[in-house]
Amino acid sequence: MRMLSDLDGFIFDLDGTLLDSLWVWHEVDCTFLMRRGLPVTPDYAQAIAHMGFFDAARYTIDRFKLNETPEQLTTEWHALARTAYRDRVELKPYAETFLRQLYAQGKHLAAATSSELDLIMPCLERLGIVNLFENITTISEVKHDKSEPDIYLLAAERLGLSPSQCAVFEDILCGIQSAKKGGFFTVAVEEAASISDQEEIVKTTACYIHSYSELL
């Protein structure tokens, strides 16, 4: 069985995996839906967790029968989230230490995110880690959402590595499943928002961690 130490590439999801940021999207969901007099339900957040912004907007419009365009929804979501990412989102405990350890070892680091760069980059710059990544790949650059391994495959290709040479770190079940299908070594990072899928995540992934301190 492959071990983390044998791998050259490390591809990280951001929201819920490296960044303690899912509270932002709960705030956004609550504000957005309450403005329209709609209920906030856990299954809604789970349904859109693996989607890019436009797919999530289309799903939201279809689900709630909204007379709005995807562009209108994504513009509103960006406005609600932008300040929080820029000023308040932090890294998960020990994540920076682990990233810097990998970087010092000469490992190749990438990010694979469903969020847009204009949200993510100010956050990563404030946290002082943006230069650790050789590429930051977004879901808008590939055909499918994280239910397929496209985003991880593109991130690995940009590193000049094959899937078998890379680990993918994720917090959501569909991300773990698709990365595994793509031939990657998978590491599941515990996240409260995914706790309902924890048993299946543990069964599926090659490695499950509660904290990055376990990898130091």
Side-chain angles (χ1 to χ4, degrees), residues 19 21 82 84-91 117-130:
L19 298 176
S21 58
R82 189 174 295 116
Y85 271 89
R86 188 191 65 207
D87 299 336
R88 294 190 285 150
V89 167
E90 299 294 339
L91 286 161
L117 284 180
D118 63 341
L119 289 179
I120 291 298
M121 291 303 288
C123 178
L124 298 183
E125 288 166 358
R126 171 175 55 82
L127 295 170
I129 62 168
V130 67

Side-chain angles (χ1 to χ4, degrees), residues 2-210:
R2 289 176 294 169
M3 303 295 290
L4 274 178
S5 58
D6 298 328
L7 302 175
D8 298 314
F10 292 75
I11 300 168
F12 294 87
D13 168 60
L14 294 178
D15 293 298
T17 299
L18 280 182
L19 298 176
D20 183 13
S21 58
L22 295 186
W23 60 268
V24 175
W25 296 108
H26 180 68
E27 280 189 3
V28 169
D29 291 346
C30 289
T31 301
F32 174 83
L33 293 173
M34 285 190 296
R35 283 176 177 176
R36 291 155 179 81
L38 296 169
V40 180
T41 59
D43 68 299
Y44 171 69
Q46 291 173 354
I48 64 173
H50 64 286
M51 299 179 186
F53 261 35
F54 267 78
D55 286 342
R58 293 187 188 100
Y59 172 85
T60 302
I61 290 166
D62 289 342
R63 173 168 174 158
F64 296 109
K65 310 298 187 234
L66 300 178
N67 188 26
E68 298 175 81
T69 66
E71 291 79 9
Q72 288 173 316
L73 267 62
T74 57
T75 297
E76 184 172 346
W77 291 343
H78 268 86
L80 290 168
R82 189 174 295 116
T83 301
Y85 271 89
R86 188 191 65 207
D87 299 336
R88 294 190 285 150
V89 167
E90 299 294 339
L91 286 161
K92 287 201 165 184
Y94 301 99
E96 181 176 1
T97 304
F98 180 58
L99 289 174
R100 293 194 180 280
Q101 176 178 287
L102 293 173
Y103 188 81
Q105 292 170 350
K107 303 296 186 180
H108 301 280
L109 308 183
T113 179
S114 297
S115 291
E116 299 296 329
L117 284 180
D118 63 341
L119 289 179
I120 291 298
M121 291 303 288
C123 178
L124 298 183
E125 288 166 358
R126 171 175 55 82
L127 295 170
I129 62 168
V130 67
N131 292 330
L132 300 179
F133 298 102
E134 294 180 28
N135 74 75
I136 298 173
T137 300
T138 67
I139 207 74
S140 61
E141 298 180 85
V142 295
K143 184 176 181 181
H144 298 104
D145 62 26
K146 284 189 173 182
S147 61
E148 294 293 334
D150 301 25
I151 189 171
Y152 312 116
L153 293 170
L154 180 56
E157 180 182 334
R158 289 172 169 175
L159 292 176
L161 299 171
S162 67
S164 64
Q165 295 173 288
C166 299
V168 167
F169 288 67
E170 266 286 1
D171 66 299
I172 60 173
L173 177 59
C174 79
I176 292 293
Q177 289 172 329
S178 63
K180 181 178 180 179
K181 183 170 69 173
F184 295 89
F185 184 94
T186 57
V187 181
V189 180
E190 186 174 80
E191 166 54 50
S194 297
I195 206 70
S196 62
D197 291 325
Q198 184 178 27
E199 184 177 350
E200 191 62 30
I201 289 172
V202 171
K203 288 180 182 177
T204 304
T205 192
C207 175
Y208 185 93
I209 62 169
H210 303 279

